[in-house]
mmCIF file of all heavy atoms in Angstrom:
data_model
loop_
_atom_site.group_PDB
_atom_site.id
_atom_site.type_symbol
_atom_site.label_atom_id
_atom_site.label_comp_id
_atom_site.label_asym_id
_atom_site.label_seq_id
_atom_site.Cartn_x
_atom_site.Cartn_y
_atom_site.Cartn_z
ATOM 1 N N ASP A 943 -5.631 59.923 -41.984
ATOM 2 C CA ASP A 943 -4.652 58.882 -41.660
ATOM 3 C C ASP A 943 -4.640 57.782 -42.726
ATOM 4 O O ASP A 943 -3.602 57.199 -43.024
ATOM 5 C CB ASP A 943 -4.996 58.254 -40.306
ATOM 6 C CG ASP A 943 -4.840 59.249 -39.174
ATOM 7 O OD1 ASP A 943 -3.847 59.994 -39.181
ATOM 8 O OD2 ASP A 943 -5.720 59.297 -38.291
ATOM 9 N N ASN A 1022 -0.107 50.399 -39.306
ATOM 10 C CA ASN A 1022 -0.980 50.347 -38.123
ATOM 11 C C ASN A 1022 -0.980 48.957 -37.498
ATOM 12 O O ASN A 1022 -0.473 48.765 -36.414
ATOM 13 C CB ASN A 1022 -2.417 50.689 -38.496
ATOM 14 C CG ASN A 1022 -2.732 52.155 -38.321
ATOM 15 O OD1 ASN A 1022 -1.908 52.905 -37.804
ATOM 16 N ND2 ASN A 1022 -3.912 52.561 -38.741
ATOM 17 N N GLU A 1023 -1.602 48.009 -38.197
ATOM 18 C CA GLU A 1023 -1.775 46.700 -37.578
ATOM 19 C C GLU A 1023 -2.144 45.626 -38.593
ATOM 20 O O GLU A 1023 -2.597 45.926 -39.698
ATOM 21 C CB GLU A 1023 -2.865 46.731 -36.493
ATOM 22 C CG GLU A 1023 -4.300 46.737 -36.954
ATOM 23 C CD GLU A 1023 -4.780 48.048 -37.522
ATOM 24 O OE1 GLU A 1023 -4.984 49.012 -36.789
ATOM 25 O OE2 GLU A 1023 -4.959 48.099 -38.759
ATOM 26 N N THR A 1063 -3.250 53.877 -31.503
ATOM 27 C CA THR A 1063 -4.378 54.792 -31.310
ATOM 28 C C THR A 1063 -5.517 54.474 -32.283
ATOM 29 O O THR A 1063 -6.506 55.194 -32.324
ATOM 30 C CB THR A 1063 -3.915 56.250 -31.535
ATOM 31 O OG1 THR A 1063 -3.074 56.284 -32.693
ATOM 32 C CG2 THR A 1063 -3.141 56.765 -30.338
ATOM 33 N N ALA A 1064 -5.356 53.386 -33.072
ATOM 34 C CA ALA A 1064 -6.378 53.051 -34.062
ATOM 35 C C ALA A 1064 -7.219 51.860 -33.559
ATOM 36 O O ALA A 1064 -7.758 51.902 -32.456
ATOM 37 C CB ALA A 1064 -5.710 52.779 -35.405
ATOM 38 N N TYR A 1065 -7.287 50.779 -34.311
ATOM 39 C CA TYR A 1065 -8.167 49.651 -33.976
ATOM 40 C C TYR A 1065 -7.807 49.046 -32.615
ATOM 41 O O TYR A 1065 -8.683 48.696 -31.816
ATOM 42 C CB TYR A 1065 -8.045 48.606 -35.094
ATOM 43 C CG TYR A 1065 -9.146 47.570 -35.143
ATOM 44 C CD1 TYR A 1065 -10.234 47.604 -34.274
ATOM 45 C CD2 TYR A 1065 -9.108 46.549 -36.096
ATOM 46 C CE1 TYR A 1065 -11.247 46.650 -34.349
ATOM 47 C CE2 TYR A 1065 -10.105 45.599 -36.176
ATOM 48 C CZ TYR A 1065 -11.171 45.651 -35.306
ATOM 49 O OH TYR A 1065 -12.160 44.702 -35.370
HETATM 50 N N1 NAD B 1329 -13.159 49.740 -34.414
HETATM 51 C C1 NAD B 1329 -12.221 50.526 -34.915
HETATM 52 O O1 NAD B 1329 -11.750 51.488 -34.323
HETATM 53 C C2 NAD B 1329 -11.654 50.189 -36.251
HETATM 54 C C3 NAD B 1329 -12.232 49.198 -37.039
HETATM 55 C C4 NAD B 1329 -11.649 48.926 -38.275
HETATM 56 C C5 NAD B 1329 -10.513 49.626 -38.701
HETATM 57 N N2 NAD B 1329 -9.991 50.573 -37.905
HETATM 58 C C6 NAD B 1329 -8.767 51.285 -38.260
HETATM 59 O O2 NAD B 1329 -8.850 51.873 -39.516
HETATM 60 C C7 NAD B 1329 -7.576 51.787 -40.096
HETATM 61 C C8 NAD B 1329 -7.683 52.010 -41.556
HETATM 62 O O3 NAD B 1329 -7.890 53.386 -41.704
HETATM 63 P P1 NAD B 1329 -8.591 53.966 -43.003
HETATM 64 O O4 NAD B 1329 -8.543 55.443 -42.901
HETATM 65 O O5 NAD B 1329 -8.031 53.290 -44.208
HETATM 66 O O6 NAD B 1329 -10.054 53.450 -42.829
HETATM 67 P P2 NAD B 1329 -11.349 54.302 -42.486
HETATM 68 O O7 NAD B 1329 -11.554 55.315 -43.551
HETATM 69 O O8 NAD B 1329 -12.433 53.335 -42.181
HETATM 70 O O9 NAD B 1329 -10.958 55.107 -41.177
HETATM 71 C C9 NAD B 1329 -10.731 54.513 -39.931
HETATM 72 C C10 NAD B 1329 -10.449 55.579 -38.882
HETATM 73 O O10 NAD B 1329 -9.289 55.192 -38.154
HETATM 74 C C11 NAD B 1329 -8.457 56.324 -38.016
HETATM 75 N N3 NAD B 1329 -7.076 55.926 -37.943
HETATM 76 C C12 NAD B 1329 -6.330 55.300 -38.866
HETATM 77 N N4 NAD B 1329 -5.079 55.130 -38.424
HETATM 78 C C13 NAD B 1329 -5.037 55.675 -37.194
HETATM 79 C C14 NAD B 1329 -4.023 55.809 -36.215
HETATM 80 N N5 NAD B 1329 -2.797 55.330 -36.420
HETATM 81 N N6 NAD B 1329 -4.329 56.418 -35.059
HETATM 82 C C15 NAD B 1329 -5.558 56.882 -34.826
HETATM 83 N N7 NAD B 1329 -6.565 56.787 -35.706
HETATM 84 C C16 NAD B 1329 -6.308 56.180 -36.877
HETATM 85 C C17 NAD B 1329 -8.699 57.146 -39.253
HETATM 86 O O11 NAD B 1329 -8.358 58.492 -39.002
HETATM 87 C C18 NAD B 1329 -10.163 56.951 -39.455
HETATM 88 O O12 NAD B 1329 -10.917 57.904 -38.761
HETATM 89 C C19 NAD B 1329 -7.108 50.407 -39.725
HETATM 90 O O13 NAD B 1329 -5.706 50.292 -39.802
HETATM 91 C C20 NAD B 1329 -7.641 50.289 -38.325
HETATM 92 O O14 NAD B 1329 -6.689 50.663 -37.371
HETATM 93 C C21 NAD B 1329 -10.540 50.868 -36.694
#
Side-chain angles (χ1 to χ4, degrees):
D943 294 317
N1022 267 353
E1023 77 286 288
T1063 43
Y1065 197 3

